[in-house]
Amino acid sequence: MPSRKSLIPAGPGRPRSQEARRAVLDAARYLLEKRGYAATTIEAIAAKSGVAKTTIYRGWQNRAALLIELLVEVVNEAAPPPNRSPSLQALRTELRLGAIALGGISGMLLNSLLGEAQQDPDVRTALLNGLFYPRREASVNAIKQAQALGELRSDVPPHVAVDLLFGPLFYRMFVQHEPVTEQFIRQTLRFTLEGLSTTA
Amino acid sequence: MPSRKSLIPAGPGRPRSQEARRAVLDAARYLLEKRGYAATTIEAIAAKSGVAKTTIYRGWQNRAALLIELLVEVVNEAAPPPNRSPSLQALRTELRLGAIALGGISGMLLNSLLGEAQQDPDVRTALLNGLFYPRREASVNAIKQAQALGELRSDVPPHVAVDLLFGPLFYRMFVQHEPVTEQFIRQTLRFTLEGLSTTA
Amino acid sequence: MPSRKSLIPAGPGRPRSQEARRAVLDAARYLLEKRGYAATTIEAIAAKSGVAKTTIYRGWQNRAALLIELLVEVVNEAAPPPNRSPSLQALRTELRLGAIALGGISGMLLNSLLGEAQQDPDVRTALLNGLFYPRREASVNAIKQAQALGELRSDVPPHVAVDLLFGPLFYRMFVQHEPVTEQFIRQTLRFTLEGLSTTA
Amino acid sequence: MPSRKSLIPAGPGRPRSQEARRAVLDAARYLLEKRGYAATTIEAIAAKSGVAKTTIYRGWQNRAALLIELLVEVVNEAAPPPNRSPSLQALRTELRLGAIALGGISGMLLNSLLGEAQQDPDVRTALLNGLFYPRREASVNAIKQAQALGELRSDVPPHVAVDLLFGPLFYRMFVQHEPVTEQFIRQTLRFTLEGLSTTA
DNA sequence: TGCTAAACGAGACGGTACGTCAGGTCTTGAT
DNA sequence: ATCAAGACCTGACGTACCGTCTCGTTTAGCA
């Protein structure tokens, strides 16, 4: 058995149950996959996981907080956060991984949460801090390095370049007017990067 | 007094009240602006508008249908559907108008509805048919014409080109990691079009 | 089918369902008998009766209000309110009927409700107005008449006389230190009335 | 510092805290007075007294047990159990004392506990054994003695006589249809005893 | 002009889920 | 061994909206 998180001073009282925490997240994941976002209620999660509603509310402020944590977990599983080799090639990889990572329930989950984020600034902040900013940081660095190496034109602000690259992917994800195919990813990369490259 | 829609045979019984319809949409709009998406419930709309819930449900299948109609109305008000001069310049205009049109409540409303669309295919279909496809059609035509005139390279599928242009805008709209500024629109246009143009 | 209570002006909107009302009271009665006061929760009543919780709360402010109505109903069933022949004999009858009426679930129910009345003045008021005062009134009148006829001494305030007669019965009911037997009722009547009568 | 109960061999481990016990009862009393029966929850008592819920449950089986102990304590404080001079005069005193003792929170507490007793036989038993039977015993003895001395007629079973005397008092206490005044106590005594006495 | 049919307002209905509260139990570390 | 602290499961609370239903009341066009 893994010893208690001794990093946290472990105040008085019975410690939070890690088993319960896991059971909740697993149940939420199961429900999302099998029955969709709307059916993934706190009530249903409690019933499925065997963890009491009160315990869930002790661990997360609301449904959104729980699902954001789950989303981050699922996404990081599918596409580990990129922390090395900030090259142009890394951008290709990140874009591809992103497309894959957001393919399953996580895409649906992200979309739904962005809907909630519209009404609740806390949700938005949590999504940005938990998911977008960390990954964006890496991509921005890759852009900067490519600019330093002369691979990309320097008159494009890195943040804008990132949006030009990732925007089309997320656009199709959100609106779903057309499917996100492997070919579409290739085309996005090619046509956008050619435009941004100094060889233009 | 506005004459009845006499194109429809007008069967027996009392005709639908156009005043009620307007009152409902106006109340929904008011509530969206003042109290947000979540508070814009059918119940609240009924109370605010003085129109009975039953009557609302006679006119729209559910809350989403009502709000989609409202969204289309508001967007078309702010940015009338582009039906002439399918040129490269039209694309610039459309992109700018889109940014403006989605600036107020309509952006929030669209985001929230896309969240619902995730769970309800009907909502998605209605959004696509009512909002996206018509405007997309115009943009695609503009791209095609520009390709025919040699202004844009021909090896880019028009649908993809549209996504490359509009993706970054919607991306920022949805995620709101950074604001959609006038400058950002300009940069998107410039860097994307330069890349897609034959002058590259 | 009994036509609508046309005594009440029947305002706008769908009228309250009398079937639902009956089903709720019947379910409450059943639960009280079979599973006791504590188990007779709104939730259980809703489940048993098939009437939605919200509908129950629309009809009664809380559990106590519902149970008071049931209590009054049950008691009036077992011992119809005495409205004639205000004689000494009527007192005997009323005392006997009271003992019988409070024998079944109504005794338990009354006790429990008096407990709640302790904490909630509204409950107390409802109990007094719905159950105690009307019947007390009749008994007081009987006493007065008997005093006028010279059957009872006149220096006893009627309200006090009523309490002397009914107190012992309720005392045993509430505390249950000893059972309320037919003999006890007889003894109460005899020894108390002998003391109160002018023949003393 | 109050020395530990050193009569008990003081086995291993930390001795049970008498301070905790007192703190619990005092907190319960305070809460009853200030915020009523419903608000006197175990949770609130624990918070107010600084004693852990676990410890409370070690000392009492449940909330009712705790409150019964408190009730007995409070009542015995206000009206010490009558253990001498079993005379007719003692009955007068006991009745008066009872009225006084049940005047404050103890009346409310007793009523509420009798409500609970309805659903829980243990509560009833505890109340009878802890409060009613001991005092009743004394009153019954007083009656018997008075009968032996010829002060009271002998054809009245002593238990019944006690109920005739105390019933009216408790009746008004429970139902609270009218206040328990000093005059009412006098009247009860006078009219009941006159009836029961051989001088009738 | 009166009949008929549908729309209207009002609001009750059966549901689902919410977030909270207290009950009584269990698990820590500290005394 | 007992304590304070506090997490745990359980069950009920009362509320908010959902979308449907029944009323009695307009409001037209047709007869």
Side-chain angles (χ1 to χ4, degrees), chain A residues 175-195:
Chain A
V175 181
Q176 298 190 71
H177 46 90
E178 295 194 34
V180 175
T181 61
E182 167 63 26
Q183 190 187 22
F184 177 70
I185 299 296
R186 269 202 313 274
Q187 290 170 323
T188 300
L189 276 161
R190 179 173 165 218
F191 298 124
T192 306
L193 282 181
E194 279 182 10

Side-chain angles (χ1 to χ4, degrees), chain C residues 69-132:
Chain C
E69 184 171 326
L70 177 60
L71 174 62
V72 171
E73 189 178 279
V74 172
V75 166
N76 284 344
E77 228 168 60
N83 44 8
R84 75 205 68 204
S85 78
S87 73
L88 213 52
Q89 185 53 37
L91 280 179
R92 296 179 189 274
T93 307
E94 177 73 353
L95 200 56
R96 280 207 181 89
L97 273 178
I100 293 166
L102 296 180
I105 56 161
S106 31
M108 175 259 269
L109 184 48
L110 174 58
N111 266 23
S112 298
L113 286 173
L114 279 172
E116 309 252 303
Q118 213 56 33
Q119 312 153 227
D120 185 346
D122 292 350
V123 174
R124 192 167 76 89
T125 306
L127 275 176
L128 289 176
N129 289 333
L131 203 65
F132 286 94

Side-chain angles (χ1 to χ4, degrees), chain C residues 28 40 50 66 71 79 132 138 183:
Chain C
T40 306
L66 197 166
L71 174 62
F132 286 94
Q183 189 187 23

Side-chain angles (χ1 to χ4, degrees), chain A residues 68 162 166-167 198:
Chain A
I68 288 173
V162 171
F166 285 83
T198 47

Side-chain angles (χ1 to χ4, degrees), chain D residues 10-78:
Chain D
R14 182 169 172 179
R16 184 171 286 210
S17 162
Q18 290 303 125
E19 292 82 25
R21 193 172 184 83
R22 256 287 32 99
V24 166
L25 289 170
D26 289 347
R29 196 164 182 164
Y30 175 89
L31 288 168
L32 272 171
E33 265 167 11
K34 301 290 181 190
R35 316 224 270 113
Y37 181 83
T40 307
T41 65
I42 293 283
E43 212 107 315
I45 295 172
K48 173 80 188 163
S49 67
V51 171
K53 270 204 302 181
T54 329
T55 305
I56 297 178
Y57 279 108
R58 218 190 313 280
W60 295 272
Q61 209 187 6
N62 49 42
R63 189 174 81 140
L66 197 166
L67 293 180
I68 288 172
E69 182 169 328
L70 177 60
L71 173 63
V72 171
E73 187 177 283
V74 172
V75 167
N76 284 344
E77 229 168 60

